[in-house]
Amino acid sequence: MKIGVIGAGFIGRAVAQLALAAGHDVMLSNSRGPHTMSSVLSGILGVQVGSAEDAAKFGDVVLVAIPLEHYRSVPAQWLEGKTVLDANNYYPNRDGHIPVLDRFETTTSRLLAEHLPHSHVVKVFNAIFAPDLTQDARPHGAPDRRALPVAADDATAKAQVIRLLDELGFDAVDAGGLDESWRFERAKPAYCVPLDQAGLKAALAAAERTVELPAVERVRA
């Protein structure tokens, strides 16, 4: 599989490392252009770099891992017909206040899906710290394997991403459609907490729409 990554931050780079180790081709990009990514090329063996448009065109699957405030900066036509992995999170102090999110009327993934009406958006990789992606990956069947939540409206795209997660070293829990993805957004019980499948299902079920838990202490990029 070819995986394009828009956003070469910690999450994007960690997913790239896992995908390359699983035998996939990966292109990373950032907003400043490939000429600024020499450290990425030297630090991640086998990765390709390009512009955001290059990465979008390159990928059969494209991971969007950028600050939520910039989600409209990705032109929708770049991602038409593609499975788009949404790792965005809403941090008002960083992104500015988004009233519909403050009022719990929609989800971060629904906002992205409305911006990308001809793409198949899957919420994934937002509820794990970047270092944990590489540290917690385990072979299929390992007793201490971590589970990650996945939400999507398109069943085919969701199944594709669940298979990819398995290849990268994680079990998956189907959290429903994009309108249910709030259950593993920031300040919910499942957010960035290492859990197996049973524990993750319980955490998703325990989430309350308008109740936000204290901030997770570790910094997530």
Side-chain angles (χ1 to χ4, degrees), residues 176-192:
L178 295 181
D179 292 333
E180 291 297 306
S181 62
W182 62 267
R183 292 183 178 276
F184 55 99
E185 288 181 341
R186 174 189 56 81
K188 299 303 179 187
Y191 184 69
C192 295

Side-chain angles (χ1 to χ4, degrees), residues 79 84 90 92-93 100 123 161 163 172:
L79 298 170
V84 176
Y90 175 45
N93 291 340
V100 290
K123 190 71 168 183
V161 173
R163 289 193 300 271

Side-chain angles (χ1 to χ4, degrees), residues 86-91 107-109 121-128 147-152 158 161 165 173-193 195 200-201 203-209 211 213 216 220:
D86 172 27
N88 296 325
N89 284 297
Y90 175 45
Y91 287 97
T107 66
T108 55
S109 286
V121 174
V122 182
K123 190 71 168 183
V124 67
F125 296 127
N126 71 298
I128 183 170
L148 296 181
V150 179
K158 184 188 291 182
V161 173
L165 280 178
V173 170
D174 186 341
L178 295 181
D179 292 333
E180 291 297 306
S181 62
W182 62 267
R183 292 183 178 276
F184 55 99
E185 288 181 341
R186 174 189 56 81
K188 299 303 179 187
Y191 184 69
C192 295
V193 178
L195 298 164
L200 180 53
K201 289 177 182 178
L204 292 169
E208 297 180 67
R209 188 70 176 97
V211 176
L213 302 178
V216 179
R220 186 197 182 284

Side-chain angles (χ1 to χ4, degrees), residues 1 3-5 10-12 14-16 18-19 61-66 83-89 109 122-134 137 146-151 160-172 184-185 190-192 220-221:
M1 185 187 297
I3 301 174
V5 182
F10 295 127
I11 289 290
V15 171
L18 292 174
V61 168
V62 180
L63 169 64
V64 176
I66 59 177
T83 297
V84 176
L85 313 183
D86 172 27
N88 296 325
N89 284 297
S109 286
V122 182
K123 190 71 168 183
V124 67
F125 296 127
N126 71 298
I128 183 170
F129 291 111
D132 291 349
L133 274 167
T134 51
R146 181 170 175 172
L148 296 181
V150 179
Q160 180 185 30
V161 173
I162 289 173
R163 289 193 300 271
L164 177 62
L165 280 178
D166 184 46
E167 294 174 5
L168 300 191
F170 296 90
D171 290 332
F184 55 99
E185 288 181 341
Y191 184 69
C192 295
R220 186 197 182 284

